[in-house]
Amino acid sequence: MTDAASALWHHAGRFGLVMVLAWALGVWTGSNAEAQPQCALSLVLAVDVSSSVDERDYRLQMDGLANALRDETVRRAIVQVGGIQVTAFEWSGRRQQVEIVPWTYLASDGAVFALADRLQAHRRRHTAFPTALGYALGHAAGRFGAAPLRCVRHVIDVSGDGVNNEGFGPGPAYANFPFDGVQVNALVIAGADPDPVAYYRNEVLFGPGAFMEVANGFANFEAAMKRKLLREIVGGALSGLK
């Protein structure tokens, strides 16, 4: 074999080795791309910041949500089910839906505490808009399409202190947005007129097993949210815990 032919063979062999390694790497990375952590629940938290929610009420709501997540029983439930993914947004008027935290995977105390800190630190973007609940529900349903993990259950956790008073209501939202396989639960802050408790019970709850927790004022928000999160994470068995 001539020197030129030997060199050509040498380079061809190296090229072939590189191609084999690239193919193997592609197979390996492709198989790992399809793998994902265990995920029991995709949870969308929809937080009411309409004009009826003053700054004190907003603070009680966000502190209550953060503290409910930090609660030892809630943290233990998240870990025991194998992990959940959560996103949160604030809602009020038709186009006033603002992300608070993007989809975040929780499977450890550290991850839960970090998410709670981010929720508590969020600075409200809107204060003067009405209650466009149908738009909020439509936005929440669309969030599942952007979720990075495939989870066993899909739940929207919507809080509010009043009835829809702008745009279409929950009924048209359920008829026109992707709610297949989605459960919509409610945390209602009682006290307004017209009665939001009856409205949420009759118009907002959606899907098999959907339920509502009632807070008797924003000061009771944290306790109601803890009960609600436990029911959403592990089912009704723990709903009686205070």
Side-chain angles (χ1 to χ4, degrees):
M1 183 179 292
T2 67
D3 290 342
S6 177
L8 181 62
W9 179 260
H10 174 71
H11 287 298
R14 290 181 61 188
F15 177 76
L17 177 61
V18 169
M19 292 300 292
V20 169
L21 289 173
W23 174 82
L25 181 62
V27 171
W28 181 81
T29 56
S31 63
N32 278 268
E34 294 176 0
Q36 67 160 48
Q38 181 178 348
C39 184
L41 172 68
S42 291
L43 179 62
V44 178
L45 298 167
V47 179
D48 181 8
V49 297
S50 58
S51 58
S52 60
V53 179
D54 63 24
E55 192 56 31
R56 175 182 175 275
D57 293 339
Y58 173 75
R59 194 69 269 149
L60 286 168
Q61 185 173 214
M62 298 307 291
D63 290 350
L65 174 56
N67 288 333
L69 282 164
R70 293 184 184 113
D71 180 85
E72 182 181 0
T73 310
V74 174
R75 287 186 284 113
R76 186 166 62 245
I78 290 171
V79 173
Q80 286 179 344
V81 299
I84 67 175
Q85 65 180 350
V86 178
T87 186
F89 70 95
E90 64 172 63
W91 65 273
S92 52
R94 297 185 186 207
R95 296 172 182 84
Q96 283 68 49
Q97 299 96 31
V98 177
E99 183 177 88
I100 300 174
V101 292
W103 282 109
T104 304
Y105 180 62
L106 307 178
S108 68
D109 283 354
V112 176
F113 280 122
L115 177 68
D117 290 346
R118 293 179 67 182
L119 289 166
Q120 195 164 25
H122 176 72
R123 298 185 65 178
R124 178 180 183 174
R125 287 278 300 276
H126 298 291
T127 61
F129 288 89
T131 304
L133 185 50
Y135 284 81
L137 290 169
H139 179 81
R143 297 297 298 131
F144 292 112
L149 302 178
R150 296 184 300 275
C151 302
V152 177
R153 293 181 293 124
H154 298 79
V155 172
I156 295 170
D157 179 330
V158 59
S159 62
D161 71 339
V163 304
N164 185 76
N165 58 22
E166 183 180 53
F168 59 82
Y174 293 142
N176 291 282
F177 289 89
F179 280 92
D180 289 347
V182 175
Q183 181 187 82
V184 180
N185 302 323
L187 195 165
V188 187
I189 299 92
D193 184 23
D195 180 18
V197 176
Y199 180 82
Y200 271 73
R201 180 184 295 113
N202 297 327
E203 304 292 334
V204 177
L205 299 185
F206 181 88
F211 67 91
M212 177 175 64
E213 291 287 349
V214 177
N216 295 313
F218 281 92
N220 188 235
F221 188 93
E222 180 179 330
M225 178 56 75
K226 177 185 171 183
R227 295 193 302 269
K228 191 161 182 287
L229 287 171
L230 287 171
R231 292 183 69 175
E232 287 163 342
I233 295 164
V234 298
L238 296 178
S239 62
L241 293 178
K242 304 297 183 184

